[in-house]
Structure formats: structure tokens, C-alpha cells
Amino acid sequence: MRTLYNYQVIRYFPNINSDEFFNVGIHLANSVKNELHFIESEHLTKLMTFPAVDKNTITTFIQMLDQEVNLSHWYGNYLKFSEKKIFRSSQPYTEVLKTLYEDYIGYKFHVKEKKDTVELIKQNTREIILKEFSPYIEMNENTIFDFDIIDKKNNFHHYSSLGSVSNREHINTMVWNVESFTLSSGYSKNSKFELLNIKHPNDDIQVANNILHKSSIYQVPYYDEDMRYEYIKKIAGV
């Protein structure tokens, strides 16, 4: 049975005049628990290496949150809770917390592993195309997107990038890239933008789909080889 969770991300703004922030914690609640979970010490240590981060400030405000919490309050113009979001899962509280922590905080601190996964999927995509579909489609390099896959028969471009539809930062990046591309390049209407979802969705993704739809971006399941094969086969039209 799937349980409804509410969560918020705790954001640290190193400069009150900037919109830039670091995620430093998760507030997770269900009908039984309502708790705050802060960035792990090893990740906090790495975060401190950024010149803009004030070690004393961030540790002080985290201690304040341990004692008293106002979910809509700014803490010294440095810490703020994100808007409340919904997460539905059949997993227990601890596993949901691990998933959210990884999606919003943990993934930034093991870039090499993330890059390796993406590169393996890129390689797998190239192999599928070369092995069976090279007469019908080709894949070109693109400075903005991971793929520019072209349907040769119709000269139709599929501009796509790999990411997680459950990760808001991946969605925002895709939206920004599409906007940048359409404004700065020789963009043709004979094309389509797609976010290739490499991670199995584990919560309600309707909000994400709505955001993507407004920017004419399609979400494509891409988290196993069968899905990649079917995606490429569909483009090839065979």
C-alpha cells in the first residue's frame, strides 16, 4: 500500500542578494512521523570548501532548526524551506528519506559515479543505433543536449537529454536548455524536445510532466535497455 508523504527541502542561501542556494536538509512527514534531517557530516565538510559558504553561519542556523522550526520562516536570510511537495511510496519512512536525500543532496557529492552511469547509457544508445538502425537514423553531437537523433527519412530532429523526472533540478535544466536553444540557434519546427528519464519514477510526477509540457518537452521512460531500444525503433519508424 502506498503511503502519502509531505516533504520540503531546506535551502541555504550564501548571499541574500542572490537566488543561488545549496540544499542542506529534508523535512519529511507522514501520518506517523514529522522530522528534520540535515546534510550528512561528510557532505557538509565538502560543502564548506565552496568559498561562498560561511561555515559558522550554516552550522549556527542548523542548530537553530534543531530547537525550533517555523516552516515558512527565513532564518537570518540564509535558510528557508521550499514549498511543500507530495511523495507517494510503498517504501518505509527511512527508505523514502534516503531516496529524497539522494535526489536533492547526495547526488552532487559523487559526480564521477553519476557521470559513469550517464556515459554507459550514451554508449548503449550509440550501440543500438549502429547495430540495427543506422540506415534509418543518425546521432549527431550537440553542445546543449546529450543527443541529436535524426530521422533520416523525414529529416526530423529529436533533441534529448538524460535525467530524472523526479529531480526538479534536472527538469529546470532541461527547460532552460530548451529556451536557450530555441532563442540562440537556427531552431527548426521539424524537431522535438525530450527528457529521457533514466531513473524509475518513485513519486507522483504529474507536476513535473506539467512543467515539461508547458515548454513542449516530452518525458520518455529510458531506464532500461528495452525502453531505449523501443524509443530508437520508434524514431526509425520500423
Side-chain angles (χ1 to χ4, degrees), residues 121-147:
I121 294 174
K122 285 183 178 180
Q123 180 180 342
N124 181 232
T125 301
R126 294 187 191 99
E127 290 172 350
I128 293 172
I129 292 173
L130 289 173
K131 185 176 180 179
E132 294 193 42
F133 299 106
S134 57
Y136 312 102
I137 60 178
E138 64 179 272
M139 186 169 72
N140 291 337
E141 295 294 328
N142 187 276
T143 58
I144 296 179
F145 302 101
D146 290 324
F147 300 133

Side-chain angles (χ1 to χ4, degrees), residues 154-168:
N154 300 302
N155 193 30
F156 193 94
H157 291 250
H158 292 257
Y159 297 106
S160 54
S161 289
L162 304 171
S164 170
V165 74
S166 298
N167 188 309
R168 187 63 176 266

